[in-house]
Amino acid sequence: MNPVDALIDALPGGRVLTDRDVIDSYARDQTYLEPGEPLCAVVAQTRDEVAATLRWASEHRVPVVPRGAGTGLAGGATAVEGCVMLSLARMTAIRELSPADEIAVVEPGVITADLDRAAREHGLMYAPDPSSYEISTIGGNLATNAGGLRCVRYGVTRDSTLGLEVVLADGRVLNTGRRTMKGVTGYDLTGLFVGSEGTLGVITAATLRLRRAPSVPPITIAAEFPSPRAAGDAVAAIVAAGCRPLLLELMDRGTLEAIDAWKNIGLEPQVRAMLIAQAEGDRPEEAALMERLCEQNGAGFVAVSGTPEETAELIGLRRLAYSAKERLGACLVEDVCVPRSALPAMITFIEEAAARHDARICTVAHAGDGNLHPVFIFDRGLPEPPPGVWAAADEVFRAALDLGGTLTGEHGVGLLKRRWLGLEAGPVVTEVQQGIKRVFDPLGILNPGKAI
Amino acid sequence: MNPVDALIDALPGGRVLTDRDVIDSYARDQTYLEPGEPLCAVVAQTRDEVAATLRWASEHRVPVVPRGAGTGLAGGATAVEGCVMLSLARMTAIRELSPADEIAVVEPGVITADLDRAAREHGLMYAPDPSSYEISTIGGNLATNAGGLRCVRYGVTRDSTLGLEVVLADGRVLNTGRRTMKGVTGYDLTGLFVGSEGTLGVITAATLRLRRAPSVPPITIAAEFPSPRAAGDAVAAIVAAGCRPLLLELMDRGTLEAIDAWKNIGLEPQVRAMLIAQAEGDRPEEAALMERLCEQNGAGFVAVSGTPEETAELIGLRRLAYSAKERLGACLVEDVCVPRSALPAMITFIEEAAARHDARICTVAHAGDGNLHPVFIFDRGLPEPPPGVWAAADEVFRAALDLGGTLTGEHGVGLLKRRWLGLEAGPVVTEVQQGIKRVFDPLGILNPGKAI
């Protein structure tokens, strides 16, 4: 029997998709990267269907590329040649939500913002909020250890993950972690799976930590600066002053122009950067301090939002930044993260690299974490970024490492950053990681060629 | 040449200790467990000396038991027969402390409280604070993923660890992690080493996250209850009300009596439990709410501390709890952690188990985390706990697991909890963990028989 027929036998009920156009719609994420041609796709609805798929894949040595909503920005879910695309997007149950223990047990296809909304009905929140959180899935967030706007205060996805249900390459089920706030029984397998980009197993459920939602609406500040560097200096001053913002986001002129071109926000010519900061609603003195520090660092205009509606509109604009850039062309998105004190230097370097190579770069940053997303925009007609973009991108990656930073703060390595991986991970790290990979995936069928 | 002579050749300068009495003083931690007889001890002062020790150990197949201050409570640093005891206690440099990036790079022998004090000179703090933090080392804290009083607010040691320098079993050096707040390049090796109890490598430096220290002294509440159950109910109410205490500690009557017998705190007969809670100094309304919730759950007397001195005295008493119990006899310390809603049930079960088996149990709890330390006290003349203690201990472990909890919240498995490990970690987890162990330690020389 041919392998696909065997899979259909194992998974009846229309779970296996074989129509070429349909399969191809599962083969890409948000990157420009050209996918390989998948053998077929599976849309799993249960853990047991995932297990059956992996048993079949092991038997037939078929590569497995797990996939959530396909909102990834590094090629982690890009199809490899001859693979099965394993979609978890239909596993959308919130199996449990316990306000008393402040945890939720969810399946990987749950949309991030849906979990957050479900938690808020109980005065709680799910903190990690990648910009794409209205369309991204928890499974994808776990695969990349996603961050977001709020993680300057609440940490990244790993910090909210207590335990996992994982189907291993051979179809066995592994349960990691716990339901408790603390626990040190055995090695931290939970943390190992988070951020492993589907290369060690397929997550079919997660026990996630919820947090108490602020009871008072936050105070939101938007400050306009004459240069990104000045905004970076304000960020450094805010951190140094001991403020603990709920979020602290930076957008450069290019980003603001992209948003203005779409949503007409009335951008004035002298504005070269904008900082959005949020203080807890019952900490007006912290909001006032952040406002003052923006002014002292050159902010020309500082607006303080009065109402939740104004705040929502402002944050909504920030969340549109990536979509606004996609309207301008194909995008190569970087995700460098530097020590917070190096943020102004990194911003300056990005501007200089763009000028040197005549590359169009728009930058947004989770500035409070030192995490920058320089987005290189190029002609959509090109099969891949032109040489000037590659050259500038290469220089930015190297500069981030030189400043004590890392290639990726929250998007993952995927396919996109493999060519720079050796600069950050030396030979001993690489050998150890490959050893771990072999423990979980001796046949090398799980998302091969990604992450490590 | 005999192996010890070869080691002395490789490590001149008195690093290798061979006097039997001296070696024996390195062979135990704080548990009653009888150690094996070490071959020798090494007191390393540099990473290269650690590497030389491990190269020698690999060559001669000598087990290596790493050791900090020996304050462990699970036998993690108990000597195994024929091992080299590798002390990191003299590696005490704080290599770097960066207020701008809120990180410190420290060697494993740094005393936990010393790092905290060094950070406070810059308005920062090192958050993890096991009760032993005035005598425990960072290396030991990393090995067990130590918690402490403040971790209800700031998380455990892993949550403050950004990167590690580790010497592998064969003497090679592995650098994991980063200096940045976020990063997802490759697998989370940092998290894997934290809590691995010296079974995967020897940590020779750590990049740790510091946090902004509260600028206003906290408000501390001490509430006396007629039963531990009532105190547990108050904890549940405080958590449910959305309070975010800086610490939330529970002591039962036995613990209070042990402290009273030592320090004469004027314990009154009707007091069966005490809760200590701390609110941020600029959140008096939260302190008032916690006070009210204690009263509503039966607290007979609630004191609110006015001064930092009073607070320090109260917290100091709590930190003495374990030492006070050690004055009463030999101790078997449990470290169960349950979902927070299960805290009252767990407290009740512990009392019942003690009564059933006529065992003397004193309990302290990091109640806000659901982490309880029932301490079984037995005659110091006995070589090991008597059958009644084992029976009660066994029932408590099983009850914690039945309640959705874990065997160990912050002390580690060590030798002490190995007999229950199989109840929590099923066969798939065990197989995977052993596979990971083999990647790092193919010869099985690193702290054999511990943790997994």
Side-chain angles (χ1 to χ4, degrees), chain B residues 26-341:
Chain B
Y26 284 90
R28 288 175 179 274
D29 67 0
Q30 290 287 313
T31 58
Y32 70 88
L33 295 161
E34 197 57 39
E37 191 168 294
L39 186 64
C40 60
V42 167
V43 180
Q45 298 200 8
T46 66
R47 182 193 75 185
D48 289 348
E49 291 176 0
V50 172
T53 306
L54 288 169
R55 276 194 302 273
W56 166 86
S58 281
E59 186 184 343
H60 296 276
R61 302 288 195 274
V62 176
V64 179
V65 179
R67 176 196 157 92
T71 58
L73 294 169
T78 302
V80 303
E81 192 64 28
C83 73
V84 51
M85 292 302 302
L86 174 54
S87 169
L88 289 312
R90 294 271 178 85
M91 292 184 65
T92 57
I94 296 178
R95 292 187 189 167
E96 181 189 347
L97 199 159
S98 165
D101 291 328
E102 298 184 356
I103 60 172
V105 182
V106 307
E107 292 183 347
V110 171
I111 299 292
T112 315
D114 286 346
L115 173 59
D116 190 33
R117 278 186 283 266
R120 290 199 188 246
E121 288 178 22
H122 304 277
L124 301 169
M125 63 192 282
Y126 177 65
D129 64 337
S131 295
S132 57
Y133 83 147
E134 284 288 357
I135 49 172
S136 71
T137 63
I138 293 292
N141 296 172
L142 290 163
T144 59
N145 191 18
L149 281 61
R150 294 195 288 246
C151 70
V152 65
R153 181 59 173 270
Y154 299 105
V156 292
T157 299
R158 186 180 287 124
D159 300 311
S160 287
T161 309
L162 299 175
L164 297 171
E165 174 189 275
V166 181
V167 178
L168 298 178
D170 59 10
R172 285 184 303 168
V173 176
L174 173 73
N175 286 287
T176 76
R178 53 185 208 278
R179 293 171 57 90
T180 53
M181 287 298 115
K182 299 155 71 175
V184 288
T185 303
Y187 301 148
D188 180 22
L189 301 177
T190 306
L192 191 62
F193 277 101
V194 178
S196 67
E197 304 190 35
T199 64
L200 299 178
V202 178
I203 294 168
T204 50
T207 302
L208 301 174
R209 180 177 176 179
L210 307 176
R211 289 166 204 269
R212 190 63 47 177
S215 52
V216 189
I219 302 164
T220 306
I221 295 164
E224 297 175 349
F225 287 86
S227 73
R229 173 82 193 209
D233 288 339
V235 169
I238 286 169
V239 171
C243 295
R244 300 201 57 233
L246 293 170
L247 57 82
L248 188 52
E249 296 286 313
L250 188 155
M251 294 185 277
D252 73 353
R253 173 86 196 175
T255 302
L256 294 168
E257 282 178 355
I259 295 173
D260 193 45
W262 190 13
K263 298 288 176 182
N264 195 7
I265 57 172
L267 181 66
E268 303 210 27
Q270 77 283 3
V271 179
R272 308 298 302 174
M274 181 184 283
L275 205 60
I276 302 176
Q278 233 173 38
E280 289 173 88
D282 55 356
R283 298 244 191 239
E285 73 290 353
E286 185 163 299
L289 174 58
M290 293 200 287
E291 189 182 346
R292 201 159 62 243
L293 291 168
C294 285
E295 284 161 358
Q296 284 171 6
N297 283 280
F301 176 72
V302 184
V304 180
S305 81
T307 66
E309 291 71 28
E310 279 173 36
T311 293
E313 193 182 330
L314 194 58
I315 305 300
L317 286 177
R318 162 62 190 87
R319 289 193 186 274
L320 284 178
Y322 181 67
S323 303
K325 288 172 206 181
E326 279 197 305
R327 296 175 73 246
L328 304 178
C331 295
L332 171 68
V333 186
E334 283 200 28
D335 174 38
V336 291
C337 191
V338 294
R340 291 189 289 204
S341 62

Side-chain angles (χ1 to χ4, degrees), chain A residues 6-185:
Chain A
L7 182 59
I8 293 169
D9 263 16
L11 283 177
R15 301 289 187 270
V16 184
L17 309 177
T18 55
D19 182 273
R20 180 51 49 198
D21 288 347
V22 174
I23 298 172
D24 286 348
S25 73
Y26 284 88
R28 287 176 179 274
D29 67 2
Q30 290 286 313
T31 57
Y32 71 87
L33 294 159
E34 197 57 37
E37 191 168 294
L39 187 64
C40 60
V42 167
V43 180
Q45 298 197 9
T46 66
R47 182 193 74 183
D48 291 347
E49 291 176 0
V50 172
T53 305
L54 287 169
R55 277 194 302 274
W56 166 86
S58 280
E59 186 185 342
H60 296 276
R61 303 288 196 275
V62 176
V64 179
V65 179
R67 179 195 156 91
T71 60
L73 295 169
T78 302
V80 302
E81 192 64 28
C83 73
V84 52
M85 292 301 302
L86 174 54
S87 170
L88 291 312
R90 294 269 179 87
M91 292 185 66
T92 57
I94 296 178
R95 292 187 189 169
E96 181 189 345
L97 198 159
S98 165
D101 292 328
E102 298 184 355
I103 59 172
V105 182
V106 308
E107 293 183 345
V110 171
I111 298 291
T112 315
D114 286 347
L115 173 58
D116 189 35
R117 278 187 284 267
R120 288 191 191 254
E121 289 177 20
H122 304 276
L124 301 169
M125 63 191 283
Y126 177 65
D129 64 336
S131 295
S132 56
Y133 83 148
E134 284 288 356
I135 50 172
S136 71
T137 64
I138 294 291
N141 295 171
L142 289 163
T144 58
N145 190 19
L149 281 59
R150 295 195 286 245
C151 69
V152 65
R153 183 58 173 271
Y154 299 105
V156 292
T157 299
R158 185 179 288 126
D159 300 311
S160 286
T161 309
L162 299 175
L164 297 172
E165 175 188 273
V166 181
V167 178
L168 297 178
D170 59 10
R172 286 184 303 168
V173 176
L174 173 73
N175 286 288
T176 77
R178 52 187 209 274
R179 292 171 60 89
T180 53
M181 286 299 114
K182 297 154 73 176
V184 287
T185 303

Side-chain angles (χ1 to χ4, degrees), chain A residues 181-350:
Chain A
M181 286 299 114
K182 297 154 73 176
V184 287
T185 303
Y187 301 147
D188 181 21
L189 301 177
T190 306
L192 192 61
F193 277 101
V194 177
S196 67
E197 304 190 34
T199 63
L200 300 177
V202 178
I203 295 167
T204 51
T207 303
L208 301 174
R209 180 176 176 179
L210 306 176
R211 289 167 204 268
R212 188 65 45 178
S215 53
V216 188
I219 303 164
T220 306
I221 295 164
E224 297 174 349
F225 286 86
S227 73
R229 171 82 193 211
D233 288 339
V235 168
I238 286 169
V239 170
C243 294
R244 300 199 59 233
L246 294 169
L247 57 82
L248 188 51
E249 296 285 314
L250 188 156
M251 294 186 276
D252 73 353
R253 173 85 196 174
T255 302
L256 294 168
E257 282 178 357
I259 296 173
D260 193 47
W262 190 13
K263 297 290 176 182
N264 194 7
I265 57 173
L267 180 66
E268 304 210 25
Q270 77 283 5
V271 180
R272 309 296 304 173
M274 180 183 283
L275 206 60
I276 302 176
Q278 233 172 38
E280 289 173 88
D282 55 357
R283 297 246 191 237
E285 73 290 354
E286 184 162 301
L289 175 57
M290 292 199 289
E291 189 182 347
R292 202 159 60 244
L293 290 168
C294 285
E295 284 162 357
Q296 285 172 3
N297 283 279
F301 177 72
V302 184
V304 180
S305 82
T307 67
E309 292 71 27
E310 279 174 36
T311 293
E313 194 182 331
L314 195 57
I315 306 299
L317 286 177
R318 163 61 189 86
R319 289 192 187 277
L320 285 178
Y322 182 67
S323 303
K325 288 171 205 183
E326 279 197 304
R327 296 174 73 244
L328 305 179
C331 295
L332 171 67
V333 185
E334 283 201 29
D335 175 36
V336 290
C337 190
V338 293
R340 290 188 288 202
S341 62
L343 185 75
M346 191 70 229
I347 289 169
T348 303
F349 188 93
I350 292 169

